[in-house]
């Protein structure tokens, strides 16, 4: 059980109690080490042997202490002289020496160990012996691999690696993560995540808290965040994996923090979303065409196209016809008559209107009038106006009061301008983009063809 030689210990130390306590403390320290340790005096006699050495080789301290070298019991006889010479050479060499050789276990097996040996100096400064710490090579290699992996992750990894402490603050950040967060590796340490991210921080902190309490999730998670940068907020999508880090030195797992690994997949996600949106819109156009083909009245077919186009695209839609049928090349101002509109209060199918043929009271410069005059799409938005101002903006343009964003697209058939279709979005949606304008133009072509056919049937 003891790590020091039993024979002669009492006589050597004497009955002095404090010295005995010091010897017991030394024995306890040696036995508590995670590495196997043995020591030789200047003559090569084994003086110390701790519990880890007993675990690896099977020889107890009572069986090992007092032997001369390893010959005949812990090393093959043919290798004993070389092993002893390499170990004792540490007495004359500066610093530590590292060697690898095979030792014999008590049951006759062989264990490849890696040793670190260094001289033990006496009071006069001269070598008095050698201590040798050793461990199984595979365990040492596993440790070196773990250290090398950690260093590589925090230096050369092509994805972000952040070590977050138990207070949910970055403790270690690699170069890739610092670049993604728009700051330096040292300036990010210890700062709350809310100072680095303007959006998505609640979701991220919730995930980190869950990992600390429950452990790592079974699959990566994709999170949309907005990173604060000197140029403004940048919206990114990070595919994130989480690992709970626990101390290997504690008897019970004590969480040290969370290892957060993430990769920027913004471009891939945007491409995926755009492709899904294109598939959905193409499917809507196909379904609308099939449904419109079953309508006996072409005007009804036009409203079918309008209704199908609203799904996932807009909240309201209006169809305004040019007074007189189509726009002629003269100086007469454009006048538009409401032909169809979606209900403003509750959802429902588009309703034909404007039987009286009264022009809509659009003021000069109205987006619908501009669209008819230019024969092109026109986008308009209330911008950053508050709710009351946005309501006034919509009502002034003869639109439903909740409209915030608009897209006007011209209706053309057989080289003539027949009217304008207007799509409106409320505050819960984003403004119309160019891709939205292309889709609206596809819908407008179908509506215009149906309205033109309706005119031909009414006026042979």
């Amino acid at each position: 059980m003891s790590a020091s030689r039993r024979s002669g210990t009492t006589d050597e130390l004497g009955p002095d109690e404090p010295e005995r306590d010091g010897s017991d403390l030394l024995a306890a320290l040696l036995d508590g080490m995670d590495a196997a340790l043995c020591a030789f005096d200047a003559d090569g006699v084994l003086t110390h042997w701790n519990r880890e050495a007993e675990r690896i080789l099977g020889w107890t301290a009572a069986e090992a202490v007092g032997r001369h070298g390893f010959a005949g019991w812990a090393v093959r006889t043919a290798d004993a002289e070389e092993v002893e010479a390499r170990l004792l050479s540490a007495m004359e060499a500066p610093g530590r020496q590292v060697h690898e050789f095979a030792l014999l276990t008590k049951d006759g097996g062989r264990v490849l160990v890696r040793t670190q040996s260094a001289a033990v100096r006496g009071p006069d400064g001269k070598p008095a012996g050698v201590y040798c710490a050793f461990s199984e090579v595979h365990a040492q290699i596993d440790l070196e691999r773990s250290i090398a992996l950690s260093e590589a992750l925090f230096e050369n990894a092509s994805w972000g690696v952040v070590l977050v402490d138990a207070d949910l603050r970055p403790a270690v950040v690699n170069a890739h993560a610092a670049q993604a967060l728009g700051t330096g590796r040292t300036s990010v340490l210890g700062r709350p995540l809310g100072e680095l991210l303007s959006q998505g921080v609640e979701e991220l902190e919730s995930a980190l808290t869950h990992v600390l309490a429950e452990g790592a999730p079974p699959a990566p998670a994709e999170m949309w965040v907005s990173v604060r940068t000197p140029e403004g907020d940048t919206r990114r999508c990070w595919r994130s994996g989480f690992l709970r880090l626990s101390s290997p030195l504690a008897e019970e797992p004590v969480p040290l923090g969370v290892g957060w690994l993430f990769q920027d997949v913004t471009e891939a996600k945007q491409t995926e979303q755009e492709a899904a949106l294109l598939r959905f819109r193409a499917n809507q156009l196909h379904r609308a065409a099939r449904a419109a083909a079953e309508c006996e009245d072409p005007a009804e077919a036009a409203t079918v196209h309008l209704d199908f186009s609203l799904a996932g695209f807009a909240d309201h839609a209006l169809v305004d016809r040019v007074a007189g049928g189509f726009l002629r090349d003269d100086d007469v101002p454009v006048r538009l008559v409401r032909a169809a509109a979606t209900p403003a209060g509750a959802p429902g199918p588009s309703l034909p209107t404007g039987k009286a043929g009264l022009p809509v009271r659009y003021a000069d410069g109205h987006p619908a009038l501009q669209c008819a005059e230019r024969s092109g799409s026109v986008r308009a938005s209330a911008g950053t106006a508050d709710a009351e101002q946005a309501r006034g903006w919509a009502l002034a343009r003869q639109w439903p009061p909740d409209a915030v964003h608009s897209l006007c697209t011209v209706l053309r058939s057989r080289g003539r301008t027949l009217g304008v279709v207007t799509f409106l979005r409320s505050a819960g949606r984003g403004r119309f983009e160019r891709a939205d304008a292309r889709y609206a133009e596809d819908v407008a072509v179908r509506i215009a063809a149906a309205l033109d056919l309706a005119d031909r049937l009414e006026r042979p």
Side-chain angles (χ1 to χ4, degrees), residues 1-6 9 21-40 46-56 61 65 120 130-134:
M1 172 177 134
S2 173
S4 59
R5 182 168 46 192
R6 295 296 185 270
T9 300
D21 290 343
S23 178
D24 293 342
L25 176 60
L26 175 60
L29 290 174
L30 294 179
D31 283 342
M33 293 179 62
D34 292 332
L37 186 137
C38 61
F40 300 88
L46 198 65
T47 59
H48 294 80
W49 188 264
N50 72 346
R51 287 185 181 274
E52 185 64 13
E54 177 181 342
R55 186 193 68 79
I56 294 176
V65 173
V120 177
V130 175
Y131 81 84
C132 174
F134 63 91

Side-chain angles (χ1 to χ4, degrees), residues 61 80 111 136 182 187 190 231 245 328 373 434 458:
V111 178
E136 299 176 75
S187 60
E231 296 77 18
L245 305 179
R328 294 170 175 81
E373 293 170 353
R434 289 189 177 182
E458 290 178 3

